[in-house]
Amino acid sequence: MTYDPLPPALTVTPLLPSFPSFTSNTPPSPFILTVNNVLVPTHSNHEYTFSTFSLTSPGAARLGITLTSHAPLTSIRISPLKLGIQGKINASGHTAWCTLPGAGYYIIKLSEAHELLVLIESPQIDVPVLSDPGVLNVLSYGALSNGTDLPTTTAAFCAALAHVRGPTTIFVPAGRYLVGNLVLPSYTTLYLSAGAELIFSGERKDYTRHWWKTSQSRPVTWWISTAFHSTHISITGRGTLDGTLGGQAIAANLVVPIATRHFRCEGITLLNSPSWALTTILSLHVDLRNLKLLNRFRDAGENDGIDIMHSSHVRISRCVGVGLDDPFSTKTWSRSQGDIAHSWPAEVPDPLPPCRDVLFSDLLSWTICFGVKIGAGVLTPHEDVRFEDVVVYDASIAIGIHHAHGTAMAKRVTFRNIDVEQVRQTNMNKSTWLALMCESRDFERAGPDMGSVVVEIDEDRNTQLVRNRPCIQDILVENITVRDAGHTGAFIFGWSEHCPISDVVLRNVVMPNGECAQCLDDLGVGAEKPAPWGGDPCRERVRIE
């Protein structure tokens, strides 16, 4: 048996310690992984195992993967499938080999073993220099890097933040840091070195309650947030924010850029968030890239990855999202309808700003819920939102607009260049590659005439109620590869004939049979299928190209 030639020697830098804190309640990893003949740690996270590392220079990565205890391997599958990466299995059936093209996020499935996520970062070129006057090392302020003494370590971080005067980097060396709430002021960069792990304690006494999650009857804190009305804040590096210990006593949104401008988060891992992991709220000009959002499929509900709320000019790129709930979505709420807005800045009244000009691109999504999604909250508009170059490894609804709350519009939404690899999950009685639907009872509850009224907000945040307008409008679904369509068919429904879904274009959608869809029946949208809430199926308002 022959193998691909070994790539040039590269130094491999693991981004987590060999025994990070979150593994204390997980089974051992079933994999032994080598990268270019270098042994690299792997970490079990119950339903999957992952390894995250960086290479010191660009180049391919030759992987050897050995199962510690398993029947002989018979197959290897490497996602993204569109890359066409082939693997090989040795004669004994216990080791597989493959060559990955370089930095990127991959999911490897070996026979019946659970998945191995291989998360490779490119070389880092912007490492702070400790001798620079604008760089503050938290160890110099008394932080403990052994995962103990939360009060002392939190005080050290806060002391460093108090010394921010103009552009300043708070440098966190490798180690484990048990910390409480951190509020980042303007012109701050929080830099997490490779091997640095910030740990959320999960103890109610250690954190501020920012809101109450009614659906789960538990408090939620903003673990690391921006100061209101701040600007030019970054969280960068190759470190990890670990929320594993969060639970019923208190949950956490791990990173909360709120009421800020020019925020950047790049390169870090957000691990096992006990609530929505990264929530961008009331912010402008936000850049989120190279993020690894690794949540579990158990022990937590509503553990979304990235939720963009009431924000504009947002870019999310080259991210992987894994977990029970939606990895990538936009949502809008109101102060009068919703618990989440309890601690938002009081000077921003209803109607809250829309979500506008949001681009998600180059994503890998694996979930039980929606792969990519608008909703469920649509209490103020979602406008000019795009999802492009996405691989949905698995989901119950791969591509979705779920208008479940509010009476505003979702309009000018694009889903482009999306590869739906698997739809093995079922949620909300749906297992489908596409669901564009309005089921918001707010139309009904608002009164007998509100079923045909949609809320619109202009650039100056003036509100108007527009009758007989669509609730979902100007939707483009383009260049979609559907390898698995699910088992319930697709859904395209508005609220009613007076408040429909309208102007939907589906272009170049290739279904599992390898053929480009020519009609709604080809797409799995049934002719007589009624919406469960009595909505309008709107077949005449959908165009296939």
Side-chain angles (χ1 to χ4, degrees):
M1 186 174 189
T2 61
Y3 302 106
D4 297 330
L6 191 66
L10 299 173
T11 301
V12 179
T13 303
L15 302 185
L16 271 172
S18 296
F19 301 100
S21 60
F22 81 94
T23 59
S24 61
N25 64 345
T26 60
S29 167
F31 299 100
I32 298 173
L33 175 66
T34 62
V35 180
N36 298 345
N37 287 340
V38 177
L39 185 66
V40 177
T42 61
H43 310 287
S44 171
N45 206 20
H46 283 299
E47 298 89 352
Y48 61 90
T49 293
F50 70 94
S51 179
T52 177
F53 55 89
S54 63
L55 304 175
T56 55
S57 59
R62 167 80 178 281
L63 271 60
I65 309 168
T66 301
L67 280 172
T68 55
S69 60
H70 202 275
L73 300 172
T74 58
S75 64
I76 177 171
R77 167 187 168 121
I78 303 171
S79 295
L81 296 176
K82 64 182 181 180
L83 298 180
I85 302 171
Q86 300 298 313
K88 300 173 183 178
I89 299 172
N90 68 3
S92 69
H94 289 287
T95 298
W97 300 89
C98 64
T99 298
L100 303 180
Y105 304 141
Y106 309 91
I107 301 178
I108 299 175
K109 184 75 168 74
L110 297 175
S111 299
E112 299 305 314
H114 71 211
E115 283 84 348
L116 172 64
L117 277 67
V118 178
L119 312 173
I120 308 176
E121 289 294 353
S122 56
Q124 193 169 2
I125 59 176
D126 57 351
V127 178
V129 178
L130 281 173
S131 59
D132 287 351
V135 177
L136 307 180
N137 188 337
V138 294
L139 297 181
S140 300
Y141 290 84
L144 301 178
S145 60
N146 60 1
T148 64
D149 199 340
L150 181 143
T152 297
T153 299
T154 302
F157 273 78
C158 292
L161 290 169
H163 281 80
V164 171
R165 300 291 186 271
T168 303
T169 296
I170 306 300
F171 184 89
V172 184
R176 299 183 179 92
Y177 302 84
L178 190 65
V179 294
N181 294 107
L182 301 178
V183 180
L184 307 182
S186 294
Y187 302 106
T188 298
T189 295
L190 178 63
Y191 179 84
L192 306 177
S193 303
E197 183 186 11
L198 270 58
I199 303 168
F200 182 76
S201 75
E203 297 288 338
R204 175 68 184 87
K205 63 181 176 58
D206 293 335
Y207 299 94
T208 299
R209 168 180 156 176
H210 287 98
W211 61 290
W212 179 264
K213 183 64 174 168
T214 303
S215 62
Q216 296 181 310
S217 298
R218 61 177 179 168
V220 184
T221 190
W222 303 336
W223 187 19
I224 301 176
S225 63
T226 60
F228 292 171
H229 316 302
S230 56
T231 186
H232 291 89
I233 295 172
S234 300
I235 302 176
T236 66
R238 295 290 189 264
T240 299
L241 302 178
D242 184 355
T244 303
L245 298 178
Q248 192 61 35
I250 189 165
N253 303 128
L254 302 186
V255 176
V256 183
I258 180 168
T260 191
R261 293 171 179 256
H262 302 290
F263 176 85
R264 180 169 67 103
C265 188
E266 180 176 2
I268 67 171
T269 300
L270 292 87
L271 183 63
N272 294 336
S273 181
S275 187
W276 304 351
L278 196 160
T279 58
T280 298
I281 305 166
L282 298 169
S283 295
L284 300 173
H285 304 291
V286 175
D287 185 6
L288 311 175
R289 64 177 66 191
N290 297 356
L291 300 179
K292 300 163 285 291
L293 301 116
L294 307 179
N295 292 327
R296 292 176 176 169
F297 296 96
R298 60 162 73 188
D299 302 331
E302 302 196 43
N303 57 349
D304 298 19
I306 295 176
D307 292 315
I308 307 301
M309 296 181 280
H310 306 282
S311 298
S312 295
H313 315 306
V314 181
R315 300 293 179 264
I316 304 97
S317 60
R318 195 177 176 273
C319 296
V320 55
V322 179
L324 185 152
D325 220 328
D326 311 324
F328 304 104
S329 71
T330 63
K331 309 178 190 298
T332 57
W333 310 103
S334 77
R335 292 189 176 278
S336 58
Q337 293 178 267
D339 44 16
I340 190 171
H342 176 76
S343 295
W344 293 4
E347 65 270 20
V348 184
D350 279 336
L352 295 168
C355 273
R356 181 177 286 136
D357 183 25
V358 180
L359 172 61
F360 294 83
S361 64
D362 194 9
L363 309 177
L364 177 57
S365 180
W366 178 16
T367 181
I368 291 177
C369 296
F370 289 76
V372 290
K373 171 188 177 183
I374 285 182
V378 190
L379 283 89
T380 60
H382 299 243
E383 300 173 350
D384 302 302
V385 179
R386 292 169 288 160
F387 298 89
E388 300 183 351
D389 302 309
V390 178
V391 173
V392 178
Y393 176 74
D394 197 8
S396 60
I397 301 172
I399 300 168
I401 297 178
H402 185 206
H403 193 322
H405 307 285
T407 59
M409 290 182 68
K411 63 181 179 180
R412 298 192 302 274
V413 178
T414 298
F415 300 96
R416 178 184 287 122
N417 301 336
I418 298 180
D419 193 337
V420 180
E421 293 192 350
Q422 299 174 107
V423 182
R424 298 178 299 177
Q425 311 299 325
T426 300
N427 186 44
M428 299 165 50
N429 297 315
K430 294 175 177 59
S431 174
T432 180
W433 72 275
L434 178 70
L436 310 175
M437 54 192 183
C438 177
E439 57 175 345
S440 175
R441 296 285 181 185
D442 290 335
F443 288 112
E444 182 178 74
R445 285 191 291 265
D449 297 327
M450 272 298 287
S452 61
V453 174
V454 170
V455 176
E456 287 195 342
I457 301 175
D458 64 20
E459 293 284 350
D460 297 320
R461 295 183 55 231
N462 297 312
T463 303
Q464 57 180 333
L465 301 180
V466 183
R467 296 188 180 278
N468 297 316
R469 286 289 300 274
C471 52
I472 301 172
Q473 185 179 34
D474 293 334
I475 310 301
L476 175 61
V477 182
E478 180 179 43
N479 300 338
I480 311 297
T481 299
V482 183
R483 303 175 191 268
D484 182 351
H487 62 262
T488 63
F491 294 80
I492 303 177
F493 291 115
W495 173 254
S496 69
E497 62 179 333
H498 299 295
C499 193
I501 183 170
S502 181
D503 301 309
V504 178
V505 176
L506 297 108
R507 179 183 299 142
N508 191 29
V509 178
V510 178
M511 298 304 289
N513 61 7
E515 297 182 0
C516 191
Q518 303 297 318
C519 63
L520 285 176
D521 290 337
D522 292 344
L523 296 168
V525 181
E528 303 301 328
K529 186 190 306 172
W533 50 93
D536 175 30
C538 309
R539 291 175 65 85
E540 70 278 8
R541 302 182 186 94
V542 179
R543 189 166 76 249
I544 312 296
E545 298 179 353

